[in-house]
Amino acid sequence: MYPTVSDALALPVIRQGRPRVVAGAAGLRRRVRWVHVAEVADIAHLLRGGELVLTTGIALPDDPVALTRYVDELAETGVAGLVVELVRHWHEALPDALVAAAEGHGMPLVTLSRETRFVAVTEAVVGLIVDAQVAELRAAEQVHETFTALTVAGAEPAEVLREVARASGLPVVLETLAHDVLAYDTAGLDPGELLADWARRSRAVTVTERTSYDGDAGWLVTVVGARGNDWGRLVLHCPEPPQHRQLVIAERAASALAVHRLVARDREGLERHAHRTLLTELLASPTPPGDLTARATALGFPLQRRQLLGMSVRPSTTVMIKPARSMATQEVLRDLAEATALAARRARVAALVGVIDDTSVRALLSLTPQADADAVLRRLTQEIHHAAAAAPRALPVVIAVGSTVATVAEARRSLMEAAQVAQAALRTAGSPDGRAFHRLEDVRLRGLLQLLAEDDRVAAFADRELGPLLARDASHGSRLVEALRHYCEHGGNKSAAASAAHMSRTAYYQQLARIEQVLGVSLDDPESVLSLHVALLAMTTRSGGQ
């Protein structure tokens, strides 16, 4: 808000006095809060700090000890600088003691070799201060207007942080109170440098007030929360002590983020509950309740004369966020449901989204008859992947889609099919194939077996084919089933299977011979191998369960 000593020295009224910085040049960026003309040595106790002191030196002592004490007292008070006119007391240069003391404190000491009207200097510097204050107030008002507009519009955290970075010119990070990064804007800097070792660095910066500046870290920190429920911190990387405008930006941004969370939590909480109720009723019975269509329409989700598609979004169990945290928790699924609903809004797709069980997020999409379902799905699933990656617990997901149906009665089948395809797709999730989503035809035989997982005849078939081998492994501690799995997965290539099993070919061939002996089949017979492979897939599908 205030001009610096350098700004004051650049004024024409001071330039006319031929100013020369004789000490404390490193402090020329100090802010000047006011100008004070002082002709007595014991002036420090009347000052508040931030003053640019003007003096002719007429009443200052020549004694080196007294001059040093004079500068020490000014520095202790926190004056911005000292300007001495070389006309009445000293003429060619200032005493060495005065210069040395100022340099020792890093306090700017300036001489004027010509007589200067101090009243004109005061007017000019005060004019700078007033102009800066007015400009700062206008900037603060603009900041208030900008963030009020963002708050009213329900701006997402990414939009708020983008505006913070633009308005302040500083990198900004939104973190949880556990120091996990939720969102950030680098303001053009390297993200790797900004976020390197973030948790450790953040834990080292503690704040005692809602908004604090840590000079050692160069962090301006504002606590984010409302209604007595603080949940995060907004951190601006601010190498220099923050200006008033930057403080206003940080605090207004924190308010916008807090309001967004409150509104989003209340709105989405009610919305998720309503969606979950409808989805549960759809899945509970082949014949949906008679008023379900009307209730869905009232929620902004039309069901009549639409293309309906079931969808299942599951956390990928092949990747863990933290070793001690289960991926199939309700907390993770709630985050995933919010990310899915956000993605649907961004893609402008009508969708019922809810958490029905402890495995996945279910969704029912409603498209117009003219819509290109595949194009819509590509756009939506891309948004879901992005939103899931940006969620508080960023995680990869598997997305599956059921068949397109035209009636509410058929929606249950599409939802169930999507869930079954998602379960089957998880079996190959560790080897990404580039698909943004899966359908029944993508998971092929594994998908068919997933659909038939509850059929007792499939279970009987698997037991009949593999029963003797399972019994042999159980009684002898052998691993023949695993050896057979490698053989089937590698298309009968014995060398490749042996390598995958981490066995020598001789030892592996002996295992294959033992399998043929136990099962009474030949592994050179394609139909026998196919039958055994199907049985293995069926057994894996059943053991995966829900």
Side-chain angles (χ1 to χ4, degrees):
M1 177 183 292
Y2 298 108
T4 64
V5 175
S6 289
D7 295 332
L9 297 182
L11 290 169
V13 67
I14 295 183
R15 299 298 299 171
Q16 290 174 3
R18 294 185 179 179
R20 187 166 72 91
V21 180
V22 296
L28 289 175
R29 297 183 65 183
R30 291 184 179 183
R31 298 287 172 177
V32 178
R33 185 186 59 80
W34 200 247
V35 180
H36 197 90
V37 179
E39 296 296 356
V40 293
D42 59 341
I43 189 65
H45 68 284
L46 299 176
L47 303 178
R48 295 171 51 193
E51 295 90 353
L52 182 62
V53 178
L54 309 179
T55 182
T56 64
I58 193 68
L60 295 183
D62 290 308
D63 175 50
V65 174
L67 285 175
T68 299
R69 183 169 59 250
Y70 170 67
V71 173
D72 290 344
E73 291 174 352
L74 291 179
E76 184 178 351
T77 304
V79 300
L82 176 62
V83 178
V84 183
E85 184 185 77
L86 295 178
V87 175
R88 289 172 174 79
H89 188 172
W90 298 294
H91 301 281
E92 298 297 330
L94 295 177
D96 291 341
L98 187 63
V99 175
E103 184 64 34
H105 288 289
M107 184 181 75
L109 177 60
V110 182
T111 60
L112 300 174
S113 59
R114 287 184 176 179
E115 187 176 39
T116 303
R117 296 177 62 213
F118 282 174
V119 65
V121 172
T122 300
E123 289 176 350
V125 175
V126 169
L128 273 183
I129 294 172
V130 171
D131 288 345
Q133 289 176 330
V134 170
E136 197 69 29
L137 288 173
R138 287 174 178 167
E141 182 180 4
Q142 185 176 7
V143 168
H144 280 289
E145 291 176 353
T146 298
F147 283 99
T148 297
L150 288 172
T151 301
V152 171
E156 297 174 20
E159 297 177 70
V160 176
L161 265 58
R162 186 161 52 246
E163 179 58 29
V164 171
R166 187 202 65 79
S168 68
L170 301 172
V172 58
V173 176
L174 176 63
E175 65 169 6
T176 67
L177 294 180
H179 310 290
D180 294 324
V181 175
L182 297 176
Y184 63 90
D185 192 298
T186 65
L189 298 183
D190 177 19
E193 181 179 348
L194 174 66
L195 301 177
D197 200 15
W198 178 265
R200 181 191 62 79
R201 291 160 54 207
S202 181
R203 280 192 291 269
V205 178
T206 58
V207 296
T208 56
E209 299 178 357
R210 299 293 296 180
T211 300
S212 298
Y213 179 68
D214 188 302
D216 293 335
W219 283 17
L220 173 60
V221 181
T222 301
V223 177
V224 183
R227 298 179 183 174
N229 182 24
D230 296 334
W231 52 267
R233 303 199 308 178
L234 190 66
V235 180
L236 276 71
H237 280 244
C238 191
E240 300 292 332
Q243 302 173 16
H244 176 71
R245 179 175 57 86
Q246 292 169 331
L247 289 171
V248 173
I249 290 171
E251 291 174 349
R252 292 296 290 122
S255 297
L257 291 166
V259 171
H260 173 271
R261 184 180 176 99
L262 284 173
V263 173
R265 183 181 63 191
D266 292 342
R267 183 187 70 239
E268 299 298 345
L270 293 171
E271 184 178 291
R272 291 288 76 72
H273 176 75
H275 285 204
R276 184 175 67 252
T277 300
L278 290 177
L279 288 169
T280 300
E281 292 180 7
L282 274 171
L283 287 166
S285 171
T287 305
D291 64 343
L292 190 142
T293 298
R295 287 157 51 205
T297 302
L299 272 175
F301 187 81
L303 289 171
Q304 294 180 317
R305 294 184 292 279
R306 307 282 287 191
Q307 298 183 73
L308 303 176
L309 297 93
M311 176 179 283
S312 178
V313 184
R314 297 187 59 147
S316 173
T317 55
T318 60
V319 179
M320 301 294 289
I321 297 176
K322 293 182 179 179
R325 184 180 296 172
S326 171
M327 296 294 291
T329 64
Q330 287 295 311
E331 190 174 20
V332 170
L333 291 175
R334 280 196 297 270
D335 287 344
L336 187 53
E338 300 299 341
T340 303
L342 173 62
R345 288 196 296 273
R346 287 175 172 171
R348 300 183 183 280
V349 176
L352 291 176
V353 180
V355 179
I356 307 301
D357 51 30
D358 62 354
T359 63
S360 65
V361 172
R362 304 289 187 91
L364 181 63
L365 313 182
S366 175
L367 312 181
T368 63
Q370 300 79 22
D372 182 341
D374 287 338
V376 172
L377 286 172
R378 284 193 295 270
R379 186 172 74 248
L380 174 59
T381 52
Q382 183 179 30
E383 289 286 356
I384 292 175
H385 285 295
H386 289 166
R393 299 169 184 81
L395 69 167
V397 295
V398 171
I399 303 174
V401 180
S403 302
T404 303
V405 298
T407 66
V408 179
E410 296 175 298
R412 178 175 182 268
R413 174 170 59 83
S414 184
L415 284 165
M416 294 178 66
E417 180 181 308
Q420 292 159 344
V421 171
Q423 174 66 19
L426 280 174
R427 299 299 175 188
T428 55
S431 304
D433 55 8
R435 291 190 181 94
F437 63 94
H438 299 265
R439 278 184 147 158
L440 185 58
E441 56 266 29
D442 297 326
V443 292
R444 308 181 72 182
L445 178 58
R446 196 184 299 273
L448 174 62
L449 291 173
Q450 184 64 46
L451 290 173
L452 301 173
E454 303 303 321
D455 193 313
D456 292 339
R457 290 170 296 182
V458 175
F461 167 77
D463 290 341
R464 185 169 61 251
E465 291 290 318
L466 299 173
L469 208 58
L470 292 168
R472 170 78 182 200
D473 280 352
S475 62
H476 290 74
S478 56
R479 304 177 68 180
L480 297 179
V481 172
E482 183 178 343
L484 176 61
R485 189 186 309 278
H486 286 302
Y487 182 79
C488 294
E489 288 178 349
H490 287 83
N493 186 323
K494 296 180 182 179
S495 296
S499 177
H502 304 292
M503 298 175 64
S504 68
R505 282 185 291 182
T506 300
Y508 185 72
Y509 294 167
Q510 291 174 351
Q511 294 251 319
L512 294 181
R514 183 60 53 86
I515 290 171
E516 290 179 321
Q517 178 185 357
V518 171
L519 294 180
V521 299
S522 170
L523 294 181
D524 292 327
D525 176 25
E527 185 174 346
S528 295
V529 173
L530 175 60
S531 184
L532 290 170
H533 195 188
V534 171
L536 284 169
L537 290 175
M539 184 181 69
T540 302
T541 299
R542 291 187 66 203
S543 64
Q546 296 293 325

